[in-house]
Amino acid sequence: MAAPFFSTPFQPYVYQSSQAAVTAFQILGGESQIVQIMLKAQEKLIAKPGTVYYFSGSIQMDNNYIPENEAGFLQWIFGKRVTSVVISNSGSEDGFVGIAAPSPARILPIDLANFGGEILCQPDAFLCSVDDVRVSSRVDQRPRNLEVGAELMLKQKLEGQGLAFLLGCGSVVQKILAPGEVFIVDAACVIAMTSSINFQLKYSNPTRRVVFGGDNQLMATLSGPGVVFIQSLPFRRLSQRIARAAAAPSLRDNPKFFMQIALLFFLAYVMIVSSLILTDA
């Protein structure tokens, strides 16, 4: 018997551009994708270091710090790279450049003009941008959202009317939130969202997870209106599982081992003292 059909609240992302002059690009590959971008004469492209795959003979590449991109200081504090690769076409004819995803990820082309000229993304989600795109870093000032880890504290804000390319691992979908609609998702799975969405972090049974461990410790509560892009398998989680499988069985597989042993002895102590008090009484 076939499974019943139902309408899903998620939509596969389809690139659309409202601009008259569209930047020509092509996304190649399946899981570890490559984006090939055509650069006109004197046109520039900004990319993440270590992602440039190939380019034509008229292309010039330079790795430097861009003052207008206010991501340097906060990125440096959280151990991120503070420089960017600037690629320009110095020739008189069109050239091309290939940008490869640094991990098994899918590439999402985002036309900022379709999202009000502004979008927020995780610091490792930005791949490259063309034309008018300004990258800056921001920290959520609400105390409940100041969690340990750059992926949760630090957000990158992309502003402008140009074309940006983001990265997402696993299956990538978008969710369009209506005004007042509430959507709860694993905080690590959020790739990007529009600035109109209210973002709040919430612990899921913090006491139990501190003692017994487990994933999905932080959930994000999103309130519309707006658009959010989510991924099914964040690269950080994938790399951690690969490292655990490759490492020899040891206490590293259970970092909360000593905490659990201490809690066990404490509960035993409380039970013994309680039994002695009840016996004396």
Side-chain angles (χ1 to χ4, degrees), residues 174-242:
Q174 68 172 344
K175 179 72 171 72
I176 302 176
L177 298 178
E181 183 179 359
V182 177
F183 178 60
I184 301 175
V185 63
D186 186 354
C189 294
V190 177
I191 303 174
M193 62 183 179
T194 55
S195 57
S196 59
I197 293 180
N198 183 22
F199 178 88
Q200 291 186 352
L201 293 175
K202 181 181 180 181
Y203 275 102
S204 177
N205 297 325
T207 305
R208 296 181 182 178
R209 296 195 177 276
V210 167
V211 176
F212 300 105
D215 296 330
N216 296 64
Q217 184 174 349
L218 280 173
M219 303 299 292
T221 302
L222 310 179
S223 302
V227 181
V228 59
F229 301 92
I230 59 177
Q231 56 187 346
S232 63
L233 185 60
F235 177 72
R236 183 181 180 185
R237 182 175 301 166
L238 174 62
S239 61
Q240 289 176 350
R241 293 179 179 176
I242 293 176

Side-chain angles (χ1 to χ4, degrees), residues 30-215:
E31 297 300 330
S32 300
Q33 293 185 332
I34 302 169
V35 56
Q36 181 174 282
I37 305 173
M38 302 298 295
L39 291 181
K40 299 179 181 179
Q42 307 304 320
E43 194 172 25
K44 292 184 179 181
L45 178 147
I46 299 176
K48 181 187 297 186
T51 60
V52 180
Y53 189 28
Y54 56 81
F55 48 82
S56 58
S58 61
I59 300 296
Q60 293 184 351
M61 182 178 66
D62 189 15
N63 193 345
N64 54 17
Y65 174 74
I66 304 176
E68 58 267 23
N69 289 351
E70 301 173 356
F73 181 69
L74 290 177
Q75 294 277 35
W76 177 77
I77 289 179
F78 288 103
K80 305 295 182 179
R81 295 175 179 174
V82 298
T83 59
S84 299
V85 177
V86 180
I87 300 173
S88 59
N89 185 7
S90 58
S92 58
E93 298 181 355
D94 294 349
F96 61 88
V97 58
I99 306 295
S103 60
R106 296 181 180 272
I107 299 177
L108 282 73
I110 304 292
D111 191 346
L112 295 180
N114 293 337
F115 300 95
E118 181 178 309
I119 196 169
L120 303 176
C121 66
Q122 290 195 7
D124 292 332
F126 175 75
L127 178 63
C128 62
S129 63
V130 186
D131 296 334
D132 178 26
V133 177
R134 182 170 177 266
V135 183
S136 61
S137 295
R138 62 185 293 268
V139 176
D140 200 323
Q141 301 297 327
R142 288 170 291 188
R144 65 182 302 177
N145 283 0
L146 293 182
E147 309 293 344
V148 177
E151 287 74 14
L152 300 178
M153 288 183 62
L154 185 62
K155 293 289 184 296
Q156 282 188 333
K157 181 168 65 173
L158 309 182
E159 298 176 286
Q161 300 296 318
L163 179 63
F165 295 89
L166 304 181
L167 296 173
C169 295
S171 298
V172 179
V173 294
Q174 68 172 344
K175 179 72 171 72
I176 302 176
L177 298 178
E181 183 179 359
V182 177
F183 178 60
I184 301 175
V185 63
D186 186 354
C189 294
V190 177
I191 303 174
M193 62 183 179
T194 55
S195 57
S196 59
I197 293 180
N198 183 22
F199 178 88
Q200 291 186 352
L201 293 175
K202 181 181 180 181
Y203 275 102
S204 177
N205 297 325
T207 305
R208 296 181 182 178
R209 296 195 177 276
V210 167
V211 176
F212 300 105
D215 296 330

